[in-house]
Amino acid sequence: MLYTDDNRGTIQNRERARQIIDFHGLRIRNITPTDIDGFIEYQDKAMIFLEFKYLDADLPYGQRIALERLVNNIDKSGKEAVLFVCEHNVQDSTKDVVAEKAIVRKFYYKKRWYNGLEKTVKEKINSFLNFIM
């Protein structure tokens, strides 16, 4: 598929998107890789990380620590960074999760965790960008 402005944000290759990356052989001491579900770099000023979980599934300890440290280190560079932990309720794993409509359960900013206040991902991203600009 040719990438154009009209299809930005859509899955370009659905078959490849379904392909699982198995990290089990990359264990380094007690650490294994984690993934990031979404990332927005905004005008060389801010970085927004998105982690989606089904209903009230926990953010695993190692993933939480890695993402907190990532946000903290970007913050040290003088740029803004935030992590949104988002919740969806799409039980059928063959159906797409519409990211903008998921609810932000909590977020991490300036070394603190905050409640998401039942706002959607799109609302929280817009609110964050308005806050920092």
Side-chain angles (χ1 to χ4, degrees):
M1 172 186 285
L2 180 64
Y3 186 78
T4 67
D5 209 42
D6 292 338
N7 62 9
R8 290 179 68 164
T10 61
I11 297 170
Q12 302 297 306
N13 187 328
R14 200 165 275 278
E15 287 305 310
R16 288 288 174 218
R18 287 187 182 101
Q19 192 171 25
I20 301 297
I21 307 297
D22 182 350
F23 293 120
H24 86 274
L26 289 178
R27 186 177 182 142
I28 302 165
R29 293 186 186 162
N30 200 29
I31 300 168
T32 53
T34 190
D35 69 331
I36 297 171
D37 293 329
F39 171 67
I40 299 168
E41 188 283 330
Y42 187 77
Q43 299 181 347
D44 201 26
K45 294 179 180 146
M47 297 186 187
I48 301 167
F49 297 93
L50 305 167
E51 183 58 36
F52 290 83
K53 299 296 182 192
Y54 175 66
L55 295 178
D56 60 353
D58 288 332
L59 188 65
Y61 174 78
Q63 186 178 36
R64 180 181 58 79
I65 293 299
L67 292 171
E68 285 176 356
R69 289 176 179 167
L70 178 60
V71 168
N72 293 343
N73 285 315
I74 292 166
D75 193 45
K76 286 180 194 174
S77 78
K79 300 196 179 185
E80 296 287 342
V82 66
L83 164 64
F84 292 121
V85 177
C86 314
E87 186 174 294
H88 71 86
N89 62 0
V90 181
Q91 183 176 14
D92 184 346
S93 63
T94 66
K95 297 201 182 297
D96 293 347
V97 173
V98 179
E100 71 174 305
K101 294 181 180 178
I103 299 298
V104 174
R105 180 190 314 160
K106 58 186 177 179
F107 65 98
Y108 185 76
Y109 178 69
K110 301 286 186 195
K111 295 187 177 185
R112 287 193 53 207
W113 281 100
Y114 299 89
N115 289 326
L117 303 175
E118 297 297 314
K119 300 288 184 187
T120 67
V121 173
K122 188 162 188 169
E123 289 171 326
K124 289 303 282 185
I125 289 172
N126 288 335
S127 176
F128 174 71
L129 292 175
N130 287 331
F131 175 72
I132 64 165
M133 295 311 205

